[in-house]
């Protein structure tokens, strides 16, 4: 039986579980969950039997594993053989893709999404384990690992727009009562309270929002000129520009993106050269007026993860050495595997140049955490 959000483990055993294991006390099962050393352990635990799956579902701190373990690399460009399993609604053929766990690169993992999502929609973002896609006036939320779909109401604008110019994010997990889907188009921001029947719209006269992140309980937006805004959802949708300073702010054609790194909000500016990639993180210092972006020379004890599509969600992970990773590194989601680049003053360790971020019409490799690990977030 496939749970609402299940990452398939290609090497998983199909042997029956001893009858008595299903009746272990909940507190003992929770202690086993807490000691899990990888996502694979957690996924195998949840797949053991119904009572163990229920214990995992009710575990109060599942989202803590997203800070403990690195994200998974979903390679939508690599199709693999998978079992003949229906998606949750039982109506679609599934597209089975390769997944890489940086902790266990040799373990065969896979994810499954409806084939029509891969072929007929435009990708506009990832958030809380969901793909956000656009097709003919509608936005779809698709669970990366189960293929379960949720459709939003029709967007209130001229639907001849090319979906490649959209970006989208969720403000909370899909099942949360506080979840909103935010979709940004050229000069407009749309807000759908999940489950409602209509969108709210905010006209943006001189801005195209390209990214929205949640930082210390507040939503921070960045436009295509690297201007920063605070975003409010109620009592009405609104943006407030934050005045900031940044050395070399006028540099053109530099890839810039936001990522939350513990108690820091970072903007990473990537300068591609002929043979190396220079990744410079800046920390937003709000103790000054105006606020300042301060260059971080050494990003000690942290690793960052970013995908090739500018609308895929970046991540950070503290103390990557505990799972065999490296600090002061940028993990780029490459087409064949992940590629490491240096951060700040760290030398670039990559033997071959691979770093390209753009808005693509087809799904690109991206980093993601399974939605089942966010179900305790409200």
């Amino acid at each position: 039986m496939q749970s609402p959000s299940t990452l398939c483990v290609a090497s998983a055993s199909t042997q029956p579980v001893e009858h008595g294991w299903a009746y272990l006390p909940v507190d003992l099962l929770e202690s086993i969950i807490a000691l899990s050393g990888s996502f694979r352990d957690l996924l195998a635990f949840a797949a053991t039997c119904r009572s163990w799956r229920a214990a995992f579902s009710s575990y109060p701190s599942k989202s803590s594993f997203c800070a403990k373990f690195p994200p998974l690399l979903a390679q939508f460009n690599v199709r693999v053989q998978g079992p003949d399993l229906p998606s949750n609604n039982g109506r679609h053929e599934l597209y089975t893709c390769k997944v890489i766990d940086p902790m266990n690169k040799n373990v065969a993992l896979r994810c499954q999404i409806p084939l029509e999502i891969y072929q007929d929609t435009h990708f506009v973002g990832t958030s809380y384990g969901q793909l956000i896609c656009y097709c003919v006036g509608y936005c779809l939320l698709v669970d990366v690992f189960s293929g379960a779909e949720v459709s939003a109401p029709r967007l209130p604008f001229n639907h001849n727009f090319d979906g490649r110019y959209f970006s989208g994010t969720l403000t909370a997990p899909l099942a949360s009562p506080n979840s909103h889907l935010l979709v940004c188009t050229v000069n407009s921001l749309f807000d759908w309270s999940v489950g409602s029947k209509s969108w709210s719209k905010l006209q943006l006269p001189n801005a195209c929002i390209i990214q929205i992140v949640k930082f210390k309980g507040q939503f921070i937006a960045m436009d295509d000129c690297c201007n920063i805004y605070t975003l409010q959802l109620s009592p009405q949708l609104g943006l407030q520009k934050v005045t900031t300073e940044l050395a070399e702010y006028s540099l053109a054609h530099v890839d810039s993106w936001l990522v939350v790194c513990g108690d820091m909000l970072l903007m990473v500016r990537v300068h591609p050269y002929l043979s190396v990639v220079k990744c410079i993180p800046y920390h937003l210092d709000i103790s000054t007026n105006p606020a300042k972006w301060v260059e971080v020379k050494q990003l000690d004890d942290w690793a960052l993860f970013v995908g090739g599509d500018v609308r895929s969600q970046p991540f950070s992970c503290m103390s990557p050495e505990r799972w065999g990773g490296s600090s002061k590194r940028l993990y780029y989601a490459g087409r064949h595997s992940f590629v490491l680049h240096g951060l700040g003053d760290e030398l670039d360790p990559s033997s071959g140049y691979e770093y390209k971020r753009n808005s693509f019409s087809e799904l690109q490799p991206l980093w993601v955490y399974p939605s089942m690990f966010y179900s305790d977030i409200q």
Side-chain angles (χ1 to χ4, degrees), residues 143-349:
D143 191 288
V144 174
F145 294 110
S146 74
E149 300 175 38
V150 172
S151 179
R154 191 174 180 86
L155 280 158
F157 63 79
N158 184 336
H159 303 293
N160 293 324
F161 252 10
D162 188 334
R164 283 175 294 181
Y165 298 103
F166 291 16
S167 63
T169 190
L170 288 167
T171 63
L174 192 56
S176 169
N178 303 313
S179 185
H180 289 242
L181 173 60
L182 301 173
V183 174
C184 307
T185 65
V186 178
N187 296 333
S188 297
L189 174 62
F190 296 90
D191 171 26
W192 176 56
S193 178
V194 174
S196 67
K197 297 181 179 180
S198 62
W199 294 82
S200 299
K201 178 181 178 181
L202 178 65
Q203 194 70 32
L204 307 174
N206 298 305
C208 179
I209 300 299
I210 61 172
Q211 191 180 2
I212 298 173
V213 300
K214 189 174 184 179
F215 178 61
K216 295 184 176 180
Q218 191 171 36
F219 296 103
I220 306 295
M222 183 172 73
D223 67 19
D224 53 358
C225 294
C226 297
N227 295 309
I228 301 298
Y229 306 81
T230 57
L231 169 67
Q232 67 176 31
L233 300 177
S234 61
Q236 62 182 15
L237 193 62
L239 285 176
Q240 179 66 46
K241 188 174 181 180
V242 178
T243 303
T244 61
E245 291 183 356
L246 172 63
E248 301 180 0
Y249 196 84
S250 62
L251 280 175
H253 309 298
V254 175
D255 178 33
S256 301
W257 40 273
L258 300 176
V259 62
V260 176
C261 193
D263 61 355
M264 297 185 295
L265 176 64
L266 298 181
M267 178 169 63
V268 181
R269 311 200 81 190
V270 184
H271 306 254
Y273 295 106
L274 291 177
S275 58
V276 297
V277 175
K278 184 67 173 177
C279 308
I280 305 176
Y282 293 85
H283 161 54
L284 184 61
D285 181 2
I286 60 174
S287 65
T288 63
N289 189 13
K292 290 185 178 179
W293 289 106
V294 180
E295 183 176 346
V296 180
K297 300 290 186 180
Q298 293 285 334
L299 194 59
D300 295 329
D301 208 27
W302 287 93
L304 305 181
F305 299 79
V306 71
D309 196 297
V310 297
R311 298 158 300 185
S312 61
Q313 181 180 2
F315 294 98
S316 64
C317 186
M318 188 177 185
S319 303
E321 282 77 12
R322 62 187 173 189
W323 49 263
S326 300
S327 298
K328 309 173 189 176
R329 294 288 184 262
L330 173 68
Y331 284 69
Y332 172 74
R335 293 190 62 82
H336 303 289
S337 184
F338 53 83
V339 179
L340 270 64
H341 295 291
L343 282 171
D345 287 344
E346 288 295 304
L347 295 177
D348 195 286

Side-chain angles (χ1 to χ4, degrees), residues 49-93:
C49 62
R50 183 174 299 177
S51 62
W52 287 38
R53 185 160 55 250
F56 179 82
S57 297
S58 62
Y59 187 72
S61 304
K62 292 187 289 295
S63 59
S64 64
F65 294 110
C66 296
K68 183 178 179 182
F69 303 140
L72 303 173
L73 174 56
Q75 293 191 291
F76 297 106
N77 60 308
V78 182
R79 189 168 187 176
V80 298
Q81 293 295 320
D84 186 19
L85 295 173
S87 61
N88 282 6
N89 52 28
R91 294 186 293 109
H92 302 297
E93 180 184 354

